[in-house]
Amino acid sequence: MEIKTHTEIDRSLSGTPTSVETDKFASVILEITDQMRADEKGLVHGGFIFSAGDYCAMLAVNHPNVVLAKAEVKFLKPVRVGEHLFFEGIVVEKEDNKRTVEVSAKNEKNEIVFTGKFYCVIPEKHVLER
C-alpha cells in the first residue's frame, strides 16, 4: 500500500488507512477519542467525521496534488467517544483531472453513520506552488 497524498496528516484525528488502490478505492479506520468530544454526553463533533471521510476520498484518488473542491455529506447517526468508524471510498467518476469519490462510514454495529460525495481535483502543481 503506497500512499502518495496527505502524507503528513495526523492520523489520530483523520484516521488510519487500511487499504489504498490508487484511483479506485481506499478504506480508513477512525478511533473516536475523547479529544473529539463535543459535549458532556460524549457526542463527537462532525468535523472529525468529515475529516476522515475527506481523507478517505483523497486516498482513493491517491495523487500527490489532489485537493477537495466540493463535498455533499450526510450525518445519519450520532457517534460517541469510544467507537470506531470504518470508512470506504470508491472513485465513481473520472474526467480529465477531476474525480468523484463516494464515501460511507459504518460503526461497529455495521450501521451507516455518514455518507458523502467528494469532488476532487488534481492540479498540475501543488496548490501552494505558484
Side-chain angles (χ1 to χ4, degrees), residues 1-5 20 22 59 62:
M1 174 171 72
E2 182 184 6
I3 296 175
K4 301 175 187 174
T5 190
V20 175
T22 298
L59 290 170
N62 202 29

Side-chain angles (χ1 to χ4, degrees), residues 31-51:
E31 178 182 356
I32 305 299
T33 63
D34 199 57
Q35 183 177 7
M36 301 171 186
R37 174 187 300 268
D39 65 21
E40 70 285 350
K41 295 184 186 227
L43 180 67
V44 169
H45 186 277
F48 295 104
I49 298 165
F50 181 88
S51 178

Side-chain angles (χ1 to χ4, degrees), residues 10-23:
D10 186 337
R11 292 180 176 181
S12 70
L13 299 175
S14 297
T16 301
T18 54
S19 178
V20 175
E21 295 177 43
T22 298
D23 224 10

Side-chain angles (χ1 to χ4, degrees), residues 4-7 61-67 122-123 125-127:
K4 301 175 187 174
T5 190
H6 292 63
T7 56
V61 176
N62 202 29
H63 186 284
N65 297 341
V66 66
V67 292
I122 305 168
K125 293 196 267 183
H126 190 283
V127 293

Side-chain angles (χ1 to χ4, degrees), residues 39-89:
D39 65 21
E40 70 285 350
K41 295 184 186 227
L43 180 67
V44 169
H45 186 277
F48 295 104
I49 298 165
F50 181 88
S51 178
D54 179 16
Y55 184 42
C56 188
M58 297 301 104
L59 290 170
V61 176
N62 202 29
H63 186 284
N65 297 341
V66 66
V67 292
L68 181 64
K70 174 183 168 182
E72 300 166 357
V73 301
K74 293 180 183 177
F75 296 89
L76 302 170
K77 290 189 176 285
V79 176
R80 293 170 181 81
V81 170
E83 294 184 31
H84 291 81
L85 298 183
F86 304 91
F87 291 79
E88 289 189 346

